[in-house]
Amino acid sequence: MGTVVDDAASAEFHAFFERHHAELARLAHLLTGEADAADDLAADALLALWHRWDRVRAADHPVAYARGVVANLARTRIRSAVRERRRVALFWSQREEKTENPDVAGVVDVQEALRGLPFRKRACVVLRHAFDLSEKDTALALGISVGTVKSQTSKGMAELQRLLGTQGPPLKVHAAAMVRTEGAAGRNR
């Protein structure tokens, strides 16, 4: 008996999904302005609806309920993006913008080597060495543990040294220009 209800609910949800997914994705796109995120938000909303399908199907206006879920998810996404933009603006407002005598060839080499690193290693190296963030702040920015920051930074720096063919102390990279400084000249910050 329970299987019949589950099968009926599943078929009903599937029909609801087919009828309203495109509309919910359009709503998400219009609310966020992000075409790429629209399908994800609609899918997340429909997943939330599926988990509460017994309540949703009993509602007077299930589509209105679904639109409300999409609106709430879009609001959360927008707030998150605003917070992220504020963090980025704060980082850049605190950085010095001028670099004296930049080593342009070094910049190109470092940027190319950084592109060769997997994302997490690259993010840890850049945040720790270019932005001079602490391990704790880097972990907070990336949503990972401090131990992971230590490990990924160490591995990333070793890989950069291998790619760049450098020996000795890790190179420092300026955030604004991504400039490799000369370790032997004692210019490391």
Side-chain angles (χ1 to χ4, degrees):
M1 185 172 184
T3 307
V4 173
V5 172
D6 291 344
D7 289 343
S10 180
E12 192 177 294
F13 178 78
H14 183 73
F16 182 87
F17 179 95
E18 292 296 323
R19 254 189 333 270
H20 300 290
H21 178 265
E23 172 194 346
L24 295 173
R26 277 193 311 273
L27 174 62
H29 179 234
L30 292 171
L31 291 174
T32 63
E34 299 177 27
D36 295 340
D39 279 335
D40 291 341
L41 284 173
D44 289 346
L46 286 162
L47 180 63
L49 293 173
W50 171 246
H51 288 296
R52 299 183 207 109
W53 187 243
D54 288 339
R55 282 188 274 161
V56 174
R57 69 196 275 210
D60 291 334
H61 303 287
V63 177
Y65 187 85
R67 288 179 189 135
V69 172
V70 169
N72 286 334
L73 290 172
R75 181 182 310 114
T76 300
R77 184 176 186 88
I78 290 166
R79 286 179 178 165
S80 177
V82 167
R83 281 192 302 272
E84 184 64 24
R85 281 187 212 117
R86 285 181 184 152
R87 275 184 249 154
V88 168
L90 180 63
F91 282 139
W92 284 108
S93 70
Q94 294 175 351
R95 308 320 286 163
E96 62 185 58
E97 293 297 323
K98 186 174 179 181
T99 300
E100 293 184 30
N101 303 322
D103 178 5
V104 176
V107 170
V108 172
D109 290 346
V110 171
Q111 287 176 340
E112 187 63 32
L114 282 169
R115 280 192 287 274
L117 295 178
F119 176 77
R120 186 174 282 175
K121 287 180 187 173
R122 181 173 58 233
C124 287
V125 167
V126 169
L127 290 173
R128 290 282 295 127
H129 293 284
F131 285 88
D132 291 324
L133 291 186
S134 68
E135 291 167 342
K136 182 180 176 183
D137 289 340
T138 301
L140 184 62
L142 297 175
I144 58 178
S145 71
V146 172
T148 301
V149 169
K150 290 178 182 181
S151 165
Q152 293 296 293
T153 302
S154 174
K155 290 175 183 176
M157 289 302 293
E159 205 166 323
L160 274 179
Q161 287 176 342
R162 184 184 57 76
L163 290 169
L164 293 169
T166 58
Q167 299 295 326
L171 52 101
K172 287 286 188 172
V173 182
H174 187 276
M178 301 301 286
V179 175
R180 181 173 65 178
T181 60
E182 302 298 324
R187 289 179 28 189
N188 282 346
R189 296 191 301 151

